[in-house]
Amino acid sequence: RSISNSFSATPSSPTTQESTSSTLEKSLSWNTSTIQFDSYTLWTANDEPSRDPIRWLVEATDTPPDHRGAENCWTVLDDRSTQDQPGVPIARLSPSSEFKLSHARSDGWKYVRFR
């Protein structure tokens, strides 16, 4: 199931990139800064319940994703991939409950991905 195509972040908007593999993935990067966060909210799709997030993994790194060996540098911030998550609403274009990160970092991250 897909992850929303809309993101907002402070202090600046991230650059997003979607995976073309069979795994649905949304990557975020901040060009000149890091992002500090300890929780997040997901939204349901505007049209199709099958596009709503029900299982996912949030990971972060400071290593550029295109750097050799970067795939091994991701830190799991929140793993909700093993069972369907309560708190995701049925209504279209509705926010989920707030999800707290299991591994927040005070100095933030340069790259974050949801998959």
Side-chain angles (χ1 to χ4, degrees), residues 49-114:
S50 65
R51 293 181 49 226
D52 293 348
I54 57 168
R55 295 179 182 197
W56 59 88
L57 187 66
V58 181
E59 299 171 302
T61 186
D62 290 323
T63 304
D66 58 354
H67 186 270
R68 184 174 183 198
E71 191 56 38
N72 298 323
C73 297
W74 292 92
T75 298
V76 175
L77 303 182
D78 195 26
D79 186 349
R80 296 181 186 266
S81 63
T82 60
Q83 64 183 14
D84 292 0
Q85 294 302 308
V88 176
I90 296 172
R92 303 295 85 224
L93 279 177
S94 297
S96 68
S97 302
E98 182 178 37
F99 297 101
K100 299 284 186 185
L101 293 180
S102 54
H103 297 291
R105 191 171 91 172
S106 62
D107 60 342
W109 298 95
K110 178 77 173 166
Y111 304 94
V112 177
R113 72 180 176 189
F114 288 76

Side-chain angles (χ1 to χ4, degrees), residues 1 14 24 29-30 36-37 47 80 82-83 85 93 100:
R1 299 200 180 189
L24 297 171
S29 63
W30 286 262
Q36 297 172 350
F37 67 108
D47 56 355
R80 296 181 186 266
T82 60
Q83 64 183 14
Q85 294 302 308
L93 279 177
K100 299 284 186 185

Side-chain angles (χ1 to χ4, degrees), residues 4 20 23 27 33 68 86 95 112 114:
S4 172
T20 56
T23 301
S27 297
S33 62
R68 184 174 183 198
V112 177
F114 288 76

Side-chain angles (χ1 to χ4, degrees), residues 15-42:
T15 301
T16 64
Q17 177 181 349
E18 290 189 48
S19 170
T20 56
S21 71
S22 61
T23 301
L24 297 171
E25 181 178 311
K26 183 65 130 180
S27 297
L28 308 171
S29 63
W30 286 262
N31 293 328
T32 59
S33 62
T34 60
I35 186 70
Q36 297 172 350
F37 67 108
D38 60 6
S39 65
Y40 61 95
T41 301
L42 299 176

